[in-house]
Amino acid sequence: MNNMNQNNGMQKRMLIMTLVVFVFFIAYEYLVLKPQQEAKAALVKQEQEQKQNNVAPDVKTVVTDANGNAANAFNSADTLSSKSIGNVQTVSTIKTAKSIIEIDTLGRIAQVTLVEEKYKDENGNQIKLFEANQLRPLEVRFADVNINEEAFKVSLVVNSSNIDATTSAQELVLTQTLNGTVLTKKLTFYPDGHYDLKVSTTNEKEFFITNGFRPNVLADMYAVHGFISKLNDNTLKTIEDGKLDKNHDIVGAKFISSFDRYYTTVIYNFEKSLSVSVMPDPNGKENPQAFIHGGNNITFSGFIGPKNHKDLSALNPELIDVIDYGWFTFIAKPMFLLLQFIQGYVGNWGWTIVILTVLIKLVLFPLSFKGMVSMQKLKDLAPKMKEIQAKYKDDKQKQSMHMMELYKKHGANPMGGCLPLILQIPVFFAIYRVLLNAIELKGAPWMFWVHDLAEMDPYFVLPILMGATMFLQQKITPNTMQDEMQKKIFQFLPVIFTFFFLWFPAGLTLYWFINNLFTIGQQYYINSVFERKRAEKN
């Protein structure tokens, strides 16, 4: 097949792939996510109506290897059976400068409410991170089955029912007296919302402790949510929700985190690494839930709240790896740092996105320029290409030879328009991931109608402008497609993109809109250059 046919074939495959991806998004949203959400809501309602009491999960005895290290804490995912805790009482409330933390009768963190003004839900209420039927942070499971069953029936005793840690660190001690052991939790809470914890038992009784199931504020198909850990060799292990079909042991973890798009419950120890067992939840959804091997005593720190870059970095620079940018992390991380640097001078995240977009377009302009020039040359050669195709329609070898001569004579490259685009894809996906996961945009306004760049545009102004500029961009961009059906499909893409961007965060839509505007400006410039050259020739 000649190069021209190869080019058309590649364009066709790219178009088909794009349409398939977006059709999949629609189908997944309405056929998978929506039914899952409805089923989950029904399950929560059923559990609340039944008012089930806590039942001790069946935790098996630890198996150790030759070195005495825990080899596998549990025999099956059934050991993670966690019942509704909606009827468990709060025994202590801790107020920090950024959150309200509630401790229940079993010594677990039952709820975390974010108190900063910008963290509000669609109803104007302060965001709460957990639902009633979730596995809670700091829940303890004993290796001894009998003690474990008793532990879920005996309430812990606290030394204070109300603690004010808004301005200084405060300590909370929880004690649970059981037949055969005494469990003690010593918690120190800090104004920034993080805590230090030491857990110990008497009589050498071994236990496991969890960071809980992830916050469930925003878990959609657009961003990764699930479990991530950082190992001693600085590699990251990510397990997405719905993708864990069997137990998985992690040895030598610096931190573990369960997260949705914007929020995390993380446990970390950078001096003594953690040994962790991760296993599917008991509801058959294959969502990861993690338990740390505590031995008979363990010390670590934790944080439950927004994945704010500055806050995580202040606790420990390595904790910024809690923010998952996916495959293009190596580009996304410096991209966010640049975004944050610009915002430090500009003071507004919306205009920061505009400036960053302009900078990216300027840096990538040489690549864009080459691609646009190549497309213009192919457009100008389209009539001659048709003549060659018609003249040598029965001799593909001669057709290909004359096409190559034509390209060489006029300095055209059939792949010249595609290659620059492909090289820009990592940058696009990196900024996409940055803006999609940036909790910093929460509550950040831009212009008079956008009050929260992390939420959808309430009046759909930006999505419509994005679609309109995408349509205009298509109109002024040379089109070398010969097939009329391909042209019609391509022309329909702005409508598809507009539809999807109706629900995208306004910050991300703003980026795409500004990107389109500058692409249009670049294309106008290239078009004018070619028009002058044509006029000079005539």
Side-chain angles (χ1 to χ4, degrees):
M1 183 179 289
N2 59 54
N3 288 340
M4 183 59 193
N5 289 335
Q6 289 177 350
N7 187 40
N8 286 335
M10 182 176 181
Q11 290 175 338
K12 185 176 182 179
R13 287 192 295 272
M14 289 177 66
L15 285 173
I16 293 174
M17 181 180 68
T18 303
L19 287 175
V20 168
V21 168
F22 280 98
V23 169
F24 169 77
F25 280 165
I26 295 175
Y28 190 77
E29 175 74 31
Y30 290 98
L31 299 180
V32 179
L33 288 183
K34 189 174 181 181
Q36 284 181 353
Q37 292 169 354
E38 292 174 351
K40 187 174 184 179
L43 178 62
V44 173
K45 183 178 180 181
Q46 180 183 2
E47 289 178 340
Q48 290 174 342
E49 289 176 351
Q50 292 175 346
K51 296 181 179 180
Q52 295 172 313
N53 294 322
N54 283 276
V55 178
D58 182 18
V59 181
K60 305 300 181 183
T61 303
V62 175
V63 178
T64 59
D65 58 23
N67 297 320
N69 298 318
N72 193 344
F74 307 100
N75 288 338
S76 72
D78 293 338
T79 60
L80 276 181
S81 178
S82 182
K83 304 301 183 182
S84 171
I85 67 162
N87 59 330
V88 176
Q89 296 180 346
T90 297
V91 295
S92 185
T93 301
I94 302 93
K95 294 182 180 179
T96 72
K98 297 186 177 183
S99 61
I100 296 175
I101 302 170
E102 300 174 42
I103 307 294
D104 68 18
T105 55
L106 296 180
R108 306 176 296 192
I109 295 179
Q111 189 58 270
V112 174
T113 304
L114 305 180
V115 298
E116 292 181 84
E117 182 64 24
K118 66 179 181 178
Y119 296 118
K120 289 186 176 181
D121 60 22
E122 62 275 8
N123 298 318
N125 301 318
Q126 295 301 136
I127 289 175
K128 296 180 181 296
L129 298 184
F130 302 120
E131 294 181 351
N133 64 330
Q134 290 183 207
L135 177 68
R136 283 303 193 269
L138 307 189
E139 178 171 301
V140 168
R141 308 282 178 91
F142 284 92
D144 186 308
V145 176
N146 294 325
I147 292 178
N148 193 64
E149 290 180 353
E150 183 187 2
F152 274 77
K153 300 173 184 177
V154 177
S155 298
L156 280 83
V157 177
V158 297
N159 67 334
S160 178
S161 59
N162 287 284
I163 291 179
D164 186 352
T166 54
T167 57
S168 62
Q170 300 293 327
E171 186 175 83
L172 174 69
V173 180
L174 302 95
T175 306
Q176 186 180 42
T177 303
L178 305 168
N179 290 325
T181 190
V182 176
L183 172 71
T184 304
K185 293 181 179 179
K186 293 183 179 180
L187 282 152
T188 303
F189 291 95
Y190 297 86
D192 59 10
H194 92 277
Y195 63 86
D196 295 332
L197 173 63
K198 181 177 182 180
V199 188
S200 61
T201 61
T202 59
N203 299 330
E204 303 294 319
K205 294 300 180 180
E206 297 187 348
F207 63 88
F208 313 92
I209 188 167
T210 179
N211 68 325
F213 188 63
R214 62 164 171 75
N216 197 22
V217 181
L218 186 58
D220 53 32
M221 67 179 182
Y222 301 114
V224 175
H225 43 86
F227 170 88
I228 188 171
S229 63
K230 185 172 186 178
L231 307 184
N232 288 335
D233 61 2
N234 292 322
T235 59
L236 298 174
K237 174 67 176 179
T238 301
I239 305 174
E240 297 183 32
D241 281 353
K243 295 186 177 181
L244 183 66
D245 59 355
K246 61 182 179 180
N247 294 1
H248 182 78
D249 291 332
I250 299 174
V251 178
K254 293 183 177 182
F255 72 69
I256 62 170
S257 165
S258 297
F259 63 95
D260 67 3
R261 183 194 288 186
Y262 290 142
Y263 308 96
T264 181
T265 170
V266 58
I267 285 175
Y268 56 96
N269 190 329
F270 295 101
E271 296 179 0
K272 186 177 181 180
S273 58
L274 307 170
S275 179
V276 186
S277 289
V278 188
M279 53 208 72
D281 65 43
N283 299 317
K285 296 180 180 179
E286 299 186 347
N287 296 330
Q289 295 184 343
F291 273 79
I292 300 168
H293 299 233
N296 58 26
N297 71 87
I298 191 171
T299 301
F300 56 76
S301 298
F303 171 75
I304 302 173
K307 294 187 290 183
N308 184 292
H309 193 281
K310 286 184 177 179
D311 291 344
L312 292 172
S313 181
L315 294 176
N316 189 292
E318 292 194 62
L319 283 178
I320 62 174
D321 288 327
V322 167
I323 306 172
D324 183 19
Y325 294 120
W327 291 350
F328 299 105
T329 296
F330 68 99
I331 301 177
K333 276 189 175 181
M335 193 83 73
F336 179 83
L337 293 176
L338 176 59
L339 192 72
Q340 189 171 249
F341 175 78
I342 296 171
Q343 197 274 339
Y345 286 93
V346 176
N348 180 282
W349 281 103
W351 290 115
T352 296
I353 292 172
V354 173
I355 294 172
L356 178 66
T357 308
V358 174
L359 289 176
I360 292 173
K361 293 299 291 183
L362 291 175
V363 171
L364 296 178
F365 179 72
L367 281 175
S368 302
F369 182 83
K370 289 182 179 179
M372 291 174 176
V373 169
S374 181
M375 294 297 287
Q376 271 287 3
K377 288 181 178 179
L378 290 175
K379 179 185 177 182
D380 291 346
L381 294 176
K384 294 181 179 180
M385 290 159 62
K386 284 184 177 181
E387 290 178 5
I388 293 174
Q389 288 174 335
K391 185 175 181 179
Y392 301 102
K393 62 181 180 180
D394 297 325
D395 191 336
K396 298 298 182 181
Q397 187 174 358
K398 284 188 176 181
Q399 185 183 112
S400 178
M401 181 183 67
H402 284 282
M403 283 287 190
M404 291 300 295
E405 290 177 354
L406 183 66
Y407 295 150
K408 187 175 182 180
K409 180 180 178 181
H410 294 274
N413 183 353
M415 293 298 295
C418 297
L419 186 58
L421 176 63
I422 292 173
L423 293 176
Q424 294 178 61
I425 287 177
V427 177
F428 165 74
F429 274 106
I431 191 65
Y432 166 84
R433 297 290 299 188
V434 166
L435 296 178
L436 195 64
N437 289 280
I439 185 63
E440 287 80 1
L441 300 184
K442 182 68 179 174
W446 182 74
M447 301 297 283
F448 59 89
W449 80 92
V450 177
H451 303 293
D452 191 339
L453 287 166
E455 300 290 337
M456 56 181 276
D457 185 331
Y459 302 106
F460 307 114
V461 175
L462 286 173
I464 293 172
L465 288 174
M466 187 279 300
T469 52
M470 189 174 181
F471 176 77
L472 178 58
Q473 180 183 333
Q474 280 189 358
K475 284 294 184 182
I476 66 172
T477 301
N479 191 338
T480 60
M481 295 180 187
Q482 304 297 319
D483 185 79
E484 290 299 321
M485 181 59 69
Q486 289 184 30
K487 290 181 180 179
K488 290 180 180 179
I489 293 174
F490 193 68
Q491 290 169 356
F492 192 65
L493 287 180
V495 178
I496 298 176
F497 273 72
T498 300
F499 173 79
F500 278 102
F501 272 76
L502 291 176
W503 294 278
F504 268 36
L508 183 59
T509 312
L510 174 62
Y511 161 73
W512 198 309
F513 166 56
I514 299 299
N515 182 75
N516 286 352
L517 278 182
F518 274 80
T519 302
I520 290 170
Q522 290 174 353
Q523 190 64 60
Y524 266 120
Y525 170 72
I526 299 297
N527 292 351
S528 65
V529 170
F530 272 80
E531 286 298 326
R532 286 198 300 269
K533 289 183 177 180
R534 292 191 193 102
E536 291 173 359
K537 289 181 179 179
N538 296 332

